[in-house]
Amino acid sequence: MRIHITIRDQRFQATLDDSAAARDLAAQLPLTVEMTDHGSVEKTGPLPSPLSLDGQPAGADPDVGDVGYYAPGNDLVLYYGDQSYYNGIVVLGHMHDDAAERIADMDGPITATVTTFDN
């Protein structure tokens, strides 16, 4: 499934994987997430409801540009830097083009609006 992520005046596209967690995220769309910066590698913010962890490994080593879920915090995560393997990380999909680079240039907290591709 393709989604849009809008932050400030910029719009990004991403493709979600075919997983229980990604389907749970898609079922919550559209949504707005208040996100903060963590470790100069990711923006994170709480989701309204937890995502399923069915079929997921204990953790993951996300790539730059991945869309993820941090299960212990119930957070949506946009990875714009290199994050190492960590228990509780679930990779949901990947942002297209230069989205990670553009998000890296955004200082401080952000508000991300996530919608289906049709919206």
Side-chain angles (χ1 to χ4, degrees):
M1 169 185 263
R2 290 174 68 183
I3 60 172
H4 279 137
I5 302 167
T6 304
I7 304 169
R8 299 180 182 150
D9 62 346
Q10 299 187 53
R11 193 169 201 192
F12 313 100
Q13 292 182 24
T15 301
L16 296 180
D17 298 337
D18 184 18
S19 68
R23 287 189 295 274
D24 278 358
L25 176 64
Q28 293 183 32
L29 301 182
L31 61 88
T32 299
V33 182
E34 301 296 328
M35 305 183 94
T36 56
D37 195 83
H38 286 263
S40 298
V41 297
E42 62 193 27
K43 299 283 190 186
T44 67
L47 290 170
S49 301
L51 306 181
S52 172
L53 299 178
D54 289 349
Q56 295 298 320
D61 180 3
D63 292 326
V64 172
D66 278 348
V67 176
Y69 175 61
Y70 182 60
N74 191 43
D75 287 333
L76 180 68
V77 185
L78 304 177
Y79 294 99
Y80 63 84
D82 184 31
Q83 175 62 276
S84 58
Y85 178 93
Y86 203 84
N87 283 333
I89 292 175
V90 175
V91 174
L92 301 173
H94 195 78
M95 295 180 283
H96 299 189
D97 305 319
D98 63 346
E101 180 180 307
R102 290 165 52 198
I103 291 170
D105 290 338
M106 296 178 181
D107 291 330
I110 60 169
T111 301
T113 302
V114 186
T115 61
T116 60
F117 192 71
D118 297 332
N119 292 338

